[in-house]
């Protein structure tokens, strides 16, 4: 039985208890939210994983994507990326390889992590068609389902499946006349296939068969957002919202089957449209957890898209997105390396946390409050203890050590806190009151 | 005559014309805004500088702060920082040295840049008192004014002067009972002095004398915000708002004299309070340009405070802040090095630009639109041409070159754009419409 079916029947599973403990919330609250589909716990029944809750009222979670490409296919590096991503604090991984022995890569990654792992099964189908016949337009609909099943059996916890690319969404895309067009890799495979064969998307037509598979293995559906904009000028357009309507209908049908869903969101989008996007997605999809890809809030900062995305991530978390896919400095330029992965996770975690603080300082800001105390006391070890990335902080201060141990080299003994502690805080109250 | 007096008399100066050209706005609009005090052009009449407009409806500007400390006093490094900051796109510099021969450092920096340069004159007075007598509480009020005049004569374009730390603001600070207390360096000097001597702030009492000096040299007053919070838990409190009321009154008095002002804002603040802060500051100070320090939107990411601040900067620019002081990765840990300065400017520029895009894509997003076209065409040279930091982008792609020249190693020939250009865009319109 899926987590969601258990929850619907009133059962609090071990995964729900673990999420409740992690979030310091009541297990019964988690159960209720899982039953409604407002919280998802991606946790394939074929594999042991850490329970990670994604959804309403929970800490915003961060995904790190790894995977080979056709140009760079190095399984050891991908395993190293997975490790570094976890160490930097990623909550989940997505394994999106398109180069090399895809089954072996997936199984090796799954065997080497306890984090929930996501995938995009259509990649494998497209890669096989390209390798065999030269193009994704030669994909067989049966193979699409077979790869979903194989990957589910391997233990993949959540899958981005492009069910919502149908004739309606493609019609709206064509009418829209975008600058950036369609930039989703899976979306490009399935839509090219549809247009070439002039038929409906089999993943849309055979959605019940998709549900049969993911229900059996309790895979959480990550409703893929193929129409996300690939340029700021295309953001929040009719093609995207058309797809969102279809996505909402598919979420309903998944919930009827007790299948957990999360819904992917854009993409390239200016910061002033983020709140609207989250509100409309939550409405169309009846509060399904929102999985934000990026977002990219300016197009002109390649090499620094992790910072671009951290800016967007903060807005997302603040306005109710629940899960954020990181972006690395290599975005739009190259396959990320190990250090890129680390920087991407760090930036996205900072953004997610800044947004969570804006929602509830009391719940999410306890470490920030302790940092304030440590700074006031000029207690550096305590400052490191409450830092998200303590070793990086220590390294900067240690590289340029101050003469006076309680200060840093920015101000030395002219440290404002030191002066205030010495003169202002010790002054009589009367000194301030006349 | 100051820029503002010229504007009040209907004269369009060369500086106003230059700002208008830079911003693609009507010179008469710039003149009107300078006359009202809604736009400032910091431009000391003792020195030639590039005209930089700060204020309503202009691109959000970025300041990079440099300067020695007592621990690290290396003029060559400070000059290198100034150069690197300019190359990365900083609009202005602040020279905030507290170690070494302060006059020589200031004059050398001023001689080596055409950018507007700011300072905090009280630092010099405090440093001299500390060196001579052991503490800032031995500062002489006359010396405070003398250093303002000396630095104005040297050609400093804008000065942060702590006139608003008065008995009222200190009373509110004491009653507030903050966690982080007062963290402004200048604020700590002047408030300790006031409490020790149990008298009013001479810079507040003798504000007219301050105005005499800055009017003579046409120095723009950067109304220092000593009560900015130094921890998220202290943000937007009564001490800060009390000071803001006083700042507003001081802005009125400066405008009566034709002295340009900008007003500094917090500090450590969660993202959900940024809009309110800007709105209340613009109201209290009658639309004086808003100079945001930071802001720091979470306290627990030392080593990455440039990213923290980029998140805040985007919010600031979006809601009407006009000028943003960068934060480097060394913030809260050490005096920044050259590379820290570069990273700080980059992050803040990205944040400021993301915020500007949210205000007006048409005006501020032309490069973003061209980038969208270049990406759709898979034209990499054009992508670099429209990137904020082209060499960094090129370096990432070149480090891991793709087999196919028109792609990158992320997707290789499975590039979504390439597939869409080949299959989807070329398909008959009919394929989408049934």
């Amino acid at each position: 039985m899926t987590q969601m079916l258990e929850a619907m029947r009133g059962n609090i599973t071990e995964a729900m208890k673990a999420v409740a403990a992690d979030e310091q919330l009541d297990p019964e609250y988690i159960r209720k939210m899982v039953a409604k589909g407002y919280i998802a716990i991606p946790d394939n029944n074929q594999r042991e994983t850490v329970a990670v809750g994604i959804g309403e009222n929970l800490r915003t979670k961060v995904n790190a994507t790894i995977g080979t490409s056709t140009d760079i296919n190095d399984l050891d590096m991908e395993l190293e990326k997975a490790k570094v991503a976890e160490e930097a604090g990623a909550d989940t991984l997505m394994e999106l390889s398109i180069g090399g022995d895809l089954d072996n890569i997936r199984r090796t990654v799954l065997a080497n992590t306890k984090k929930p792992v996501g995938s995009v099964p259509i990649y494998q189908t497209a890669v096989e068609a390209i390798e065999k016949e030269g193009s994704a337009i030669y994909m067989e609909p049966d193979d699409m389902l077979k790869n979903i099943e194989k990957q589910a059996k391997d233990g993949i916890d959540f899958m981005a499946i492009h069910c919502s690319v149908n004739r309606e969404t493609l019609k709206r895309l064509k009418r829209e006349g975008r600058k950036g067009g369609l930039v989703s890799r899976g979306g490009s495979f399935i839509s090219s296939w549809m247009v070439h064969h002039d038929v409906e998307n089999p993943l849309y037509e055979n959605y019940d068969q998709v549900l049969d598979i993911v229900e059996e293995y309790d895979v959480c559906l990550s409703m893929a957002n193929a129409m996300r904009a690939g340029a700021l000028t295309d953001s929040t357009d009719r093609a995207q919202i058309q797809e969102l309507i279809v996505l909402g209908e598919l979420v309903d049908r998944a919930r009827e089957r007790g299948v957990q869903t999360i819904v992917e969101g854009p993409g390239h989008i200016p910061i002033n449209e983020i709140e609207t996007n989250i509100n409309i997605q939550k409405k169309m999809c009846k509060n399904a957890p929102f999985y934000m890809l990026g977002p990219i809030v300016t197009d002109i900062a390649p090499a620094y898209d992790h910072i671009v995305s951290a800016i967007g991530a903060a807005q997302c978390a603040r306005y109710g997105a629940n899960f954020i896919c990181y972006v690395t400095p290599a975005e739009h330029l190259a396959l990320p390396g190990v250090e890129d992965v680390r920087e991407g996770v760090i930036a996205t975690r900072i953004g997610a946390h800044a947004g969570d603080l804006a929602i509830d300082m009391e719940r999410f800001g306890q470490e920030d409050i302790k940092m304030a105390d440590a700074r006031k006391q000029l207690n550096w070890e305590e400052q490191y203890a409450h830092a998200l990335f303590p070793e990086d902080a220590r390294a900067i201060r240690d590289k340029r050590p101050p003469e006076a141990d309680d200060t840093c080299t920015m101000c030395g003994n002219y440290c404002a806190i030191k002066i205030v502690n010495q003169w202002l805080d010790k002054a009589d109250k009367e000194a301030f009151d006349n």
Side-chain angles (χ1 to χ4, degrees), chain A residues 118-422:
Chain A
S119 74
V120 185
I122 192 101
Y123 289 178
Q124 185 162 21
T125 312
V127 167
E128 287 165 359
I130 293 166
E131 284 175 356
K132 215 157 63 184
E133 316 256 6
S135 169
I137 60 162
Y138 302 117
M139 291 187 294
E140 290 293 334
D142 268 2
D143 291 338
M144 298 181 197
L145 291 171
K146 275 185 200 156
N147 277 318
I148 292 172
E149 180 145 32
K150 176 163 67 176
Q151 299 193 12
K153 213 176 264 181
D154 282 345
I156 289 289
D157 301 289
F158 59 107
M159 286 183 188
I161 302 186
H162 297 76
C163 305
S164 53
V165 184
N166 67 7
R167 284 181 172 269
E168 279 175 304
T169 53
L170 282 187
K171 179 175 72 179
R172 289 274 134 61
L173 176 70
K174 190 73 181 179
R175 289 186 185 172
E176 186 69 56
R178 285 179 172 185
K179 267 200 174 299
L182 184 155
V183 298
S184 150
R185 196 155 60 179
S188 77
F189 295 147
I190 196 72
S191 59
S192 298
W193 187 93
M194 288 167 64
V195 167
H196 180 76
H197 296 285
D198 194 16
V199 292
E200 187 50 281
N201 176 357
L203 296 170
Y204 178 71
E205 281 200 317
N206 304 324
Y207 184 59
D208 282 323
Q209 288 174 259
V210 173
L211 290 176
D212 289 341
I213 302 167
V214 293
E215 185 193 338
E216 184 181 347
Y217 297 96
D218 198 7
V219 173
C220 174
L221 268 185
S222 184
M223 311 299 294
N225 165 259
M227 297 298 142
R228 64 178 181 270
L232 260 72
T233 46
D234 298 340
S235 65
T236 325
D237 68 356
R238 290 185 290 263
Q240 183 199 318
I241 302 303
Q242 180 68 67
E243 184 182 36
L244 187 55
I245 291 171
V246 177
L247 283 168
E249 292 174 344
L250 296 174
V251 166
D252 280 355
R253 287 170 62 187
R255 285 181 179 176
E256 281 163 23
R257 297 282 297 268
V259 166
Q260 299 192 104
T261 56
I262 56 182
V263 179
E264 295 181 7
H268 292 234
I269 178 177
I271 53 172
N272 54 310
E273 292 180 15
I274 289 174
E275 183 180 9
T276 300
N277 262 272
I278 294 169
N279 288 343
I280 190 68
Q281 186 152 330
K282 292 262 174 177
K283 285 300 287 186
M284 292 299 98
C285 302
K286 299 182 182 163
N287 294 317
F290 190 127
Y291 181 19
M292 181 63 91
L293 308 178
I296 297 296
V297 300
T298 165
D299 284 329
I300 59 172
Y304 297 95
D305 275 330
H306 60 309
I307 296 178
V308 170
S309 176
I311 292 168
Q315 289 299 296
C316 294
R318 174 188 178 186
Y319 288 118
N322 312 104
F323 189 29
I324 298 170
C325 185
Y326 84 158
V327 167
T328 80
E331 184 79 11
H332 300 112
L333 296 167
L335 192 75
V338 174
E339 193 48 36
D340 294 317
V341 166
R342 184 165 186 276
E343 286 185 49
V345 174
I346 287 171
T348 306
R349 278 191 72 200
I350 292 171
H353 179 64
D356 285 345
L357 289 182
I359 291 177
D360 191 341
M361 177 67 76
E362 182 74 20
R363 254 193 83 202
F364 300 111
Q366 288 306 314
E367 290 299 300
D368 289 74
I369 293 168
K370 287 173 192 155
M371 179 66 88
D373 288 337
R375 284 189 171 144
K376 182 70 179 165
Q377 293 152 13
L378 297 168
N379 184 334
W380 292 90
E381 286 304 321
E382 274 295 298
Q383 289 181 51
Y384 301 143
H386 299 295
L388 279 175
F389 312 103
E391 294 319 313
D392 297 325
R394 191 189 293 274
I396 289 177
R397 186 159 175 271
D398 286 355
K399 203 165 76 182
R400 298 189 278 281
E403 209 181 288
D405 270 356
D406 53 349
T407 66
C408 81
T409 49
M410 174 65 106
C411 304
N413 276 325
Y414 303 173
C415 168
I417 294 173
K418 195 166 174 174
I419 292 169
V420 165
N421 289 352
Q422 184 183 356

Side-chain angles (χ1 to χ4, degrees), chain A residues 65-125:
Chain A
T65 293
I66 61 163
T68 61
S69 73
T70 46
D71 288 307
I72 302 173
N73 165 22
D74 178 346
L75 177 53
D76 287 341
M77 181 169 82
E78 297 311 321
L79 293 174
E80 180 65 16
K81 284 189 207 172
K83 185 168 151 268
V84 161
E86 286 192 44
E87 285 168 358
D91 297 290
T92 65
L93 299 173
M94 285 189 85
E95 199 295 288
L96 302 191
S97 289
I98 53 169
D101 180 345
L102 302 189
D103 289 338
N104 180 49
I105 295 169
R106 179 187 328 110
R107 287 163 191 164
T108 310
V109 169
L110 283 167
N112 278 279
T113 182
K114 291 276 172 224
K115 298 280 179 187
V117 175
S119 74
V120 185
I122 192 101
Y123 289 178
Q124 185 162 21
T125 312

Side-chain angles (χ1 to χ4, degrees), chain A residues 26-84:
Chain A
D26 177 24
E28 174 58 16
Y29 169 81
I30 303 295
R31 185 200 64 74
K32 267 190 204 160
M33 292 292 116
V34 171
K36 289 165 99 163
Y38 294 8
I39 287 178
I41 307 176
D43 187 7
N44 185 310
N45 56 29
Q46 301 293 299
R47 193 175 69 98
E48 279 293 313
T49 53
V50 180
V52 174
I54 297 166
E56 200 155 295
N57 206 21
L58 306 183
R59 179 175 60 77
T60 302
K61 304 303 185 298
V62 171
N63 176 72
T65 293
I66 61 163
T68 61
S69 73
T70 46
D71 288 307
I72 302 173
N73 165 22
D74 178 346
L75 177 53
D76 287 341
M77 181 169 82
E78 297 311 321
L79 293 174
E80 180 65 16
K81 284 189 207 172
K83 185 168 151 268
V84 161

